[in-house]
Amino acid sequence: MSTKPDNIENLQQEISRLKNRIEEIEKAKKQCEEIAMKTLESSEERHKIIFDLAPDALYLSDLKGNIIEANQTAEKILGQDKKELTGKNFLELNVIKTQDRHRATKILAKNALGLKTGPDKFEVETQTGGRIVLEITTFPIIIHKERLVMGIARDITERVQAEEFRKKNQQRMAFHVDQTTLAVIEWDLNFKVKRWNPAAEKIFGYTAQEAFGQHASFIIPETSMSHVDQIWMEVTHLKGSRRLTNTNRHKNGNFLICEWHNTPLINNEGEVIAVASMALDVTERIRSEEIQKVVYNISNAANTTGNLNKLIHRIQEELASIIDTSNYFIALYNKDEDSLSLPFFADEKDRFTTFPAGKTLTNYVVKNKKSLLATREVIDRLEKSGEVEAIGSISEIWLGVPLEIDNEVIGVLAVQSHQNPNAYNEADMKMLEFVSDQISLSIHRKNSEVKMMDALEKATESDRLKSAFLANLSHEIRTPMNGILGFASLLKYDKINDIDREKYISVIEKCGIQMLDIINDLIDISKIESGITELVISDFDLNHSMDFIYSFFKPEADAKSLKLTVRKGLNGDKALIQSDREKIYAVLINLVKNALKYTKRGEIKFAYKLDNNILRFMVQDTGIGVPEDKLTTIFKRFVQVDPTLSRNFDGVGLGLAISKAYIKLLGGKIWVESKLLQGSTFFVEIPYVKGKTREIEKIEKPSLPDKTKSKLKILIAEDDAINRKLLHTF
């Protein structure tokens, strides 16, 4: 059986099947091409729509730069129809500024090479005459196998204007930042300086170059850092502005007070990227406010403090809030004695109460009526020139300002430092000068109050003493008067014998002498009070005077069984002095008489010696002594150790007051050292002036004149009849 026909038939069937398949493929291909064409047409349509409606100006050009296609935005931006744009390159459009044409030519050259360009910025002129800024980017593309150039021109006019505006604002802000009196500082997140304006340089003393990169601690004292760190955390974490007033440190080491306003700088993501601070130096304002407060408090203290010492201590406490008063004193000037007293003195090394004004720094201020800020160098220069002399410990710096009332210096306010030469400056001196006016007024007012109180107390005491004195005087006068009148009446009796008569006459004489002493004391104190007491200077031998006093009181001392001794400190012509003999007599006689009066047993010594041109007299007894609270008051008028009427000693209490007044007239001083019931020692000092003419003096005991031997004729001028009769009898 043959198979050949079957194979042919199968082959034919296979060929038929393949034809059918080919037809199907061709049909499918045709369908695909139709679909692809439709898809391409649809895609191109979509691209065209996107191209035309794009917000940026889009254009297609050939490699020579000639525009083939442009969208609506390009027409709108340039103000030209698409037809006007087609076939031209942007050099031919004459919209680019002349100075930019060279750059545009380079772009066309790169396009011809198929290279991407941009973005490039050009300022172009529209058909309407307006000017806009375009940012142009080009890149090569292939469309339908043709190499073309796609150009994108974005209108960035507003962005450029905004940028220019921002730059201008930045420049303007930078100008204001540079010109403002506020310190403007920008800190990074590590609290280090990023920006430092000229005002910051002026306020803190550091240049921008010195400050850049520095941590804030370089201008913030350690004592303030914890508070500042807290503010920093609040600003950076809570993202809010914060204000604070803080003590800061200048480059030179001085402290200043600043008001700070701190604001976080935040980026678009809301993150803090830095902190901006503005600082205003308010040191002077705060200082002024503090000074005004101090002045007010000092003025108020003058009304509330009890005495001058407390007032000056209060002044120190108030001044301590604005200046270092660790070493502080107020010296009050005594013009009459040319001395300085320190009612309050606070110092780490020295202690003074009163000292001669001399050539001290304090007196330098007094004499010149001008403040002095003296460094160690200035002090050394003044000492070398002889204008001042060192007293007390050495200061590294000394500051003193005069305290004046009615253009007269009443004292000096001074502060000093023994260690820190920069403790005070010119600003401190001006501040103290301002405060010194109120201090002067307060001290003057308090002094006046104290003087008034002292005067009132003295007046009250004087009134009391005068009352006691009058009662005492009445008693002292009545006692001898009773003796005189009583014994005079006894003399009238015929039956009295000669012995009794002599006794009565002796008593009358004694009472008369006592009465005369009282009257003489009253006359002397009246002269002193009225200021008519005068000195009668003459040359006399002091040793003769001492011998006379010894001879005068020796009988009375013997009568009381008291030992009386005299010691003279000069011999020969050296004992010849020039002074008021009667007043020296009066003083020494009064002191020896008091010693005899108040001493029952023991001895009485009186002496003198010469020491550095000063005559020092001494009267020492072993009597009742003087209580400690009476050591100074006994020299006052009408004061006695025992002021009661029941005392055992006569006298009206004027002797020591008269003695003190006489010694003061002689340019000397008198004082007493005593222990109760152990005796007293009175001292008198007067200047020694050597005499020139020697007088011949004889020590004679007083005696009544012998009428039989007298050949003298006496003229009596007396207006009292009894006194004339008495003198006529002699």
Side-chain angles (χ1 to χ4, degrees), residues 216-234:
S217 57
F218 82 116
I219 60 168
I220 300 174
E222 185 177 351
T223 53
S224 301
M225 275 306 299
S226 59
H227 179 57
V228 174
D229 284 340
Q230 178 64 33
I231 297 296
W232 176 263
M233 294 294 291
E234 292 177 5

Side-chain angles (χ1 to χ4, degrees), residues 89-197:
N89 62 48
F90 45 78
L91 289 177
E92 295 173 327
L93 294 175
N94 293 322
V95 294
I96 296 177
K97 296 169 69 173
T98 303
Q99 58 266 31
D100 292 336
R101 293 180 72 85
H102 180 67
R103 286 196 300 120
T105 302
K106 285 185 176 182
I107 292 174
L108 292 176
K110 288 182 179 181
N111 290 158
L113 296 173
L115 300 175
K116 179 182 179 297
T117 66
D120 295 291
K121 193 189 307 181
F122 291 93
E123 185 177 337
V124 301
E125 185 175 350
T126 65
Q127 283 293 102
T128 59
R131 287 190 175 274
I132 59 174
V133 180
L134 296 179
E135 185 180 70
I136 299 175
T137 304
T138 68
F139 51 89
I141 62 171
I142 298 175
I143 299 178
H144 299 310
K145 299 181 181 181
E146 185 180 3
R147 295 177 65 190
L148 301 173
V149 175
M150 170 68 79
I152 302 174
R154 178 169 294 170
D155 185 354
I156 61 170
T157 306
E158 291 184 0
R159 191 180 79 189
V160 169
Q161 289 175 345
E163 182 67 18
E164 290 178 349
F165 181 75
R166 186 183 65 81
K167 287 183 178 180
K168 287 180 180 179
N169 274 348
Q170 284 183 336
Q171 292 173 350
R172 189 180 298 111
M173 182 62 70
F175 173 79
H176 289 308
V177 166
D178 288 344
Q179 296 299 316
T180 182
T181 57
L182 294 173
V184 179
I185 306 169
E186 186 178 335
W187 313 92
D188 65 17
L189 295 182
N190 293 319
F191 211 177
K192 293 182 178 180
V193 175
K194 290 179 62 179
R195 180 183 177 87
W196 187 266
N197 76 333

